[in-house]
Amino acid sequence: MAAGAGTAQAGPGSGATAIVALGDSYISGEAGRWQGNSLTNTGSRDGTDRAWTGTAYDPARVYGTTAVNGCHRSDSAEVRSATGTTQALVNLACSGATTQNVFRASSGGTWFKGEAPQADQLAAVAATYDVKVIALSIGGNDLGFADIITTCAKDYILYYSYCHDDQQDVVDAKIDTVMANVGKAVDEIRAVMSGAGYAASSYRIVLQSYPSPIPRGGENRYAESGWSRVHTGGCPFWNLDADWARDSLVPQLADRLKALAAAKGTQFLDLRDMLQGREVCAKASRLVSATQPPSASASEWARWIDSDGTQGPVQESAHPNYYGQLAQGRCLSLVYAKPTGDFSCRNTAGTGSSGMYLTPLS
């Protein structure tokens, strides 16, 4: 289970209070190993690699026991960074999870990476703690985020063609089914909580959208031609494809999730702009180097595309890194203090996670 998990029986209205995270890599803590991106492939990678022991690399320093099964629940994951909220911060999310990995087994849910469906794990947590908020990030893997990123990168590196047109068709063909399954995931969570004796008014579900890990073409600090986007920045995308991802794909999914949250009676946390200016290759941020150490105010907040796996596993690519996760945690803390309403969460240029702020959504 996650931090603070215990065995004492409690439940609604009694015992230690808790926030619980459910879902996929964008909430599990994938890429929390990294404090910015550095071109140095040895040692601490200019201080960016939190798995460096001084003599070797130990991902368990960041991901704990989930370094082995790949769920990658980092010590900086959103829920773990939501300090000042509840007594327990419980992370059940797993990198790579789909909606089917959230459903209860009795409703078609499946085990994933050696772990029971997340809703079934939630049942045990709900009986152990007084759960106040459940944060849910799911649907990206159902939609094929990783495949979209891979296709767009290959179209830049290998084929000199655009990906946005054919990938938009892929998204449009899938999104209705994806939204239906996200809705079922919410229903499954409610069923678990009801079964554990919780009234609907005694806890909240916060459904969240996804931040864009790459900037718009015009906000990229590397030229579109040449190889700097690949070999220096780790952002191999054409401007038109980057614009599509930032201004069409991410908003399309966010808007659909917002509508679903309204239909299901959950709160909605819009993260589409959370990484604005802090994305991989963004002009407003910079790489880490021997002369420019890791910085929450200046370094990138997303992991670059490391297709060769020269620094850690490829699955960490294009996720909020250590700094990004601290920022998401601050967003969750801010929403925790707002018992009603939907909000977007954004960063303040030149600051760390303390500069995150909410804006009410209409």
Side-chain angles (χ1 to χ4, degrees):
M1 201 173 286
T7 57
Q9 291 301 298
S14 65
T17 57
I19 293 183
V20 183
L22 300 179
D24 55 26
S25 57
Y26 271 74
I27 197 169
S28 74
E30 183 68 85
R33 174 176 173 175
W34 304 96
Q35 299 181 122
N37 301 305
S38 165
L39 294 169
T40 300
N41 289 328
T42 58
S44 70
R45 280 103 182 210
D46 293 321
T48 61
D49 192 348
R50 300 173 60 232
W52 176 245
T53 66
T55 56
Y57 302 107
D58 179 14
R61 289 165 62 99
V62 175
Y63 299 121
T65 58
T66 65
V68 177
N69 72 357
C71 280
H72 282 185
R73 298 187 189 105
S74 70
D75 55 359
S76 59
E78 180 179 320
V79 71
R80 294 286 300 277
S81 298
T83 55
T85 53
T86 55
Q87 294 163 293
L89 308 170
V90 183
N91 192 355
L92 301 179
C94 183
S95 182
T98 64
T99 50
Q100 194 171 26
N101 305 130
V102 174
F103 306 158
R104 293 170 295 171
S106 61
S107 296
T110 58
W111 284 59
F112 185 60
K113 296 185 177 178
E115 299 186 358
Q118 292 178 30
D120 292 329
Q121 295 183 57
L122 175 63
V125 174
T128 304
Y129 298 102
D130 181 11
V131 175
K132 295 300 185 183
V133 168
I134 299 164
L136 175 65
S137 169
I138 201 70
N141 291 317
D142 297 67
L143 203 59
F145 261 5
D147 291 338
I148 291 171
I149 290 172
T150 299
T151 297
C152 291
K154 284 183 177 179
D155 281 357
Y156 180 89
I157 298 170
L158 300 177
Y159 305 121
Y160 305 99
S161 62
Y162 295 123
C163 71
H164 62 271
D165 43 2
D166 58 317
Q167 291 305 300
Q168 184 64 63
D169 291 340
V170 171
V171 170
D172 290 342
K174 290 182 177 181
I175 197 162
D176 286 345
T177 298
V178 171
M179 288 300 112
N181 285 332
V182 174
K184 180 179 176 181
V186 172
D187 293 341
E188 290 288 291
I189 292 168
R190 292 208 184 280
V192 166
M193 297 301 286
S194 177
Y198 287 75
S201 60
S202 66
Y203 70 97
R204 288 181 279 149
I205 299 174
V206 176
L207 180 64
Q208 61 189 54
S209 65
Y210 296 87
S212 174
I214 60 173
R216 298 174 178 89
E219 296 169 351
N220 195 308
R221 63 179 180 264
Y222 301 104
E224 186 175 26
S225 59
W227 290 103
S228 59
R229 287 192 179 183
V230 178
H231 297 304
T232 305
C235 55
F237 305 102
W238 296 110
N239 285 351
L240 285 178
D241 290 339
D243 289 348
W244 166 75
R246 181 68 180 83
D247 292 326
S248 294
L249 174 61
V250 169
Q252 179 183 11
L253 186 53
D255 289 343
R256 290 295 298 268
L257 288 168
K258 180 176 184 254
L260 179 63
K264 292 293 182 181
T266 78
Q267 281 187 286
F268 177 63
L269 177 58
D270 193 344
L271 297 178
R272 75 180 78 186
D273 299 316
M274 195 272 292
L275 292 174
Q276 176 63 38
R278 316 301 189 104
E279 308 99 331
V280 175
C281 298
K283 287 180 178 178
S285 298
R286 68 192 189 198
L287 288 176
V288 175
S289 69
T291 57
Q292 294 185 145
S295 165
S297 60
S299 300
E300 295 161 322
W301 285 10
R303 183 64 178 156
W304 60 11
I305 311 298
D306 185 7
S307 56
D308 297 325
T310 54
Q311 297 182 6
V314 174
Q315 74 180 61
E316 293 175 314
S317 299
H319 288 85
N321 63 18
Y322 173 75
Y323 296 130
Q325 288 171 27
L326 294 183
Q328 285 187 190
R330 179 59 180 160
C331 293
L332 183 56
S333 295
L334 292 170
V335 167
Y336 181 83
K338 301 284 189 180
T340 61
D342 299 334
F343 301 89
S344 67
C345 193
R346 296 179 172 89
N347 73 77
T348 301
T351 70
S353 59
S354 63
M356 304 307 294
Y357 65 95
L358 298 180
T359 301
L361 296 174
S362 57

